[in-house]
């Protein structure tokens, strides 16, 4: 796909938008809520980023956008290096503010705030993280 096709919807051949999440962090492995917490990738996360980079290369990815959080920037940097594209940081891609839940173990939240946790898991329209953002923000 040519770079012009990335911004021109009148290209004659198909376009695809591929979405990928950041690699694993120690907090992910510990089943903690991250939100705006900013841990780096773990060794596993760096390996996952390398696998993602190979897949992105095979898919012909021509542009990369990332959240400003370290885990996302590190993942995008690994991908960008392999495919020869400088990642663009977009603040609007930052993870939602999880408020008081940030840094808390998921299983503890599920036990302590059972009703609220269920609202989160089922993405109830009115759900808001305690002290944080709603799912719609």
């Amino acid at each position: 796909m040519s770079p012009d096709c990335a911004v021109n919807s009148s290209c004659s051949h198909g376009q695809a938008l591929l979405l990928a999440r950041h690699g694993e962090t120690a907090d992910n492995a510990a089943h903690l809520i991250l939100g705006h917490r900013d841990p780096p990738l773990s060794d596993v996360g760096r390996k996952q980023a390398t696998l993602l980079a190979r897949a992105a290369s095979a898919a012909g990815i021509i542009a990369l956008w990332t959240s400003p959080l370290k885990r996302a920037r590190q993942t995008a940097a690994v991908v960008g290096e392999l495919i020869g594209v400088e990642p663009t940081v977009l603040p609007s891609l930052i993870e939602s503010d999880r408020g008081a839940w940030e840094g808390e173990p998921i299983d503890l939240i599920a036990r302590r705030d059972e009703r609220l946790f269920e609202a989160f898991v089922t993405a109830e329209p009115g759900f808001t993280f305690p002290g944080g953002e709603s799912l719609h923000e």
Side-chain angles (χ1 to χ4, degrees), residues 88-105:
T88 299
V89 176
L90 295 178
S92 60
L93 293 178
I94 197 165
E95 179 70 76
S96 59
D97 179 353
R98 305 295 171 101
W101 284 10
E102 291 188 7
E104 293 283 323

Side-chain angles (χ1 to χ4, degrees), residues 24-129:
E24 183 182 81
T25 69
D27 284 4
N28 292 132
H31 306 286
L32 304 180
I33 297 284
L34 271 72
H36 285 186
R37 288 170 60 87
D38 205 15
L41 292 178
S42 64
D43 289 341
V44 169
R46 285 187 289 282
K47 289 176 186 170
Q48 291 169 335
T50 299
L51 292 173
L52 176 61
R54 291 179 187 149
S57 179
I61 299 299
I62 61 169
L64 252 155
W65 297 278
T66 181
S67 156
L69 291 172
K70 187 181 302 175
R71 58 191 183 263
R73 286 186 292 109
Q74 288 177 330
T75 302
V78 171
V79 174
E81 184 175 337
L82 184 70
I83 67 172
V85 172
E86 184 70 29
T88 299
V89 176
L90 295 178
S92 60
L93 293 178
I94 197 165
E95 179 70 76
S96 59
D97 179 353
R98 305 295 171 101
W101 284 10
E102 291 188 7
E104 293 283 323
I106 294 169
D107 61 343
L108 173 67
I109 294 167
R111 287 191 314 272
R112 183 185 63 213
D113 301 323
E114 190 174 326
R115 187 204 56 76
L116 199 55
F117 185 75
E118 181 66 22
F120 164 61
V121 170
T122 60
E124 286 184 14
F127 175 79
T128 299
F129 292 99

